[in-house]
Amino acid sequence: MQDIAEQLLAWHSSGRSFAVATVVGVSGSAPRDPGAALAVDADGEAIGSVSGGCVEGAVYELCREAIASGTPVLERFGFSDEDAFAVGLTCGGILDVFVQPIVPGADAALDAGITYIASGTPVALARVIDGPAGLLGATVAVTADTHHGSLTPAPSTAVALERAAVAEARAMLDAGRTGQLVLGLDGRPCDEAGQGTVTFFIESYVPAPRMLVFGAIDFAAAVVRIGKFLGYRVTVCDARPVFATARRFPDADEVVVDWPHRYLDSQLGALDGRTVMCVLTHDAKFDIPLLERALRLPVAFVGAMGSRKTHRDRNARLREVGLTDAEIGRLRSPIGLDLGARTPEETAVSVAAEIVAQRRGGSCLPLSAGSGPIHHDLARAEEAAPSAAA
């Protein structure tokens, strides 16, 4: 819902009823990740998407029905269904979609959740998508230090379940994770859904991940643009005020004039495992102090621009300042995939492609060259599931 939060808040503030359809489970070559959402208001206006076009029409009708009935519903769409071609999901995947009607003022958790999401406050929504009658759609909005809503009109009958759901949702919020959680009625974790269990879909809404671009060169402007396109909050940093200007980087969220390593030291509390760093200066006086710090941080990606010779010289200097081979091995240099890129825009595409591949576990080969799953991260999750259950 984060992508459509501004419009949802406008509907909510005006007192307009609406329904939100959320992808809560995927398998195979499903077109969207869990958390993708489509919303429809009482007048029939639609925003967002759950499938990139495959099943939008069918989900739209489910939203309209939910608004009319006031009843949430969990629906599965898949290629194996006899009506697969009717709904358009011919990509071979399966989508589980949860549709929830929302009436402003009727649910404290949903009211709080929409407000938090729209304001950028980190929050996790724990919604019951499967379980005993009467619990379907029950929601708890969880922040780092409080929560809103309850699982039943009489919380004392579900204290253990609610306490466990809040604790698990808070842990997932801290990690920025979204996914399903199955608990027993007593609050104990279960390996799979069944009789006497409750399935929650927990959506973590956290600030956009950060991209730090060091070096205010011409290639940086293109990297900034594609970073914004990928959903990052992008900062450009350079010690040279003549180059580091908002006019040169209008797409950046912020432009900082400072020595790169000094700025990085000031940001340690604002970085996490989703942060990516692109070091484009290829100037040792900037790069070495910066990379000495960056390669020891638990961030997602550190890449540096430069020729093969620059890379070899840089590695030697990093060893001289005490970095281990394992730490140096985290550096993606020369940055980007081998696309034969020449222009700043082409180079930015190669950099972005490597960042996506690093995040999602892609092979960096043409899809036409392989026969395995297209979505590597989902394949890894499915392979890990049996061992986790064991």
Side-chain angles (χ1 to χ4, degrees), residues 282-283 287 305-315 333:
H282 50 84
D283 184 329
D287 291 0
M305 180 175 280
S307 66
R308 302 283 184 192
K309 181 179 183 302
T310 298
H311 172 66
R312 290 191 294 269
D313 292 344
R314 184 191 289 129
N315 282 0
S333 174

Side-chain angles (χ1 to χ4, degrees), residues 14 18 88 203 205-206 209-210 227 236 246 294 345 363:
S14 67
F18 55 94
E203 300 167 86
Y205 299 99
V206 294
R210 297 192 66 185
V236 176
E345 290 74 19
S363 68

Side-chain angles (χ1 to χ4, degrees), residues 235-298:
T235 298
V236 176
C237 176
D238 197 300
R240 302 165 295 180
V242 68
F243 296 115
T245 67
R247 184 173 181 178
R248 293 189 69 217
F249 300 97
D251 297 304
D253 292 285
E254 59 181 348
V255 180
V256 176
V257 179
D258 202 349
W259 278 76
H261 73 279
R262 189 163 59 192
Y263 175 71
L264 183 61
D265 286 344
S266 74
Q267 296 297 301
L268 298 181
L271 308 179
D272 59 25
R274 303 173 300 151
T275 302
V276 303
M277 300 186 196
C278 301
V279 182
L280 309 182
T281 47
H282 50 84
D283 184 329
K285 69 176 178 290
F286 296 123
D287 291 0
I288 301 306
L290 171 63
L291 291 172
E292 180 185 359
R293 293 160 170 77
L295 293 172
R296 288 170 170 159
L297 295 175

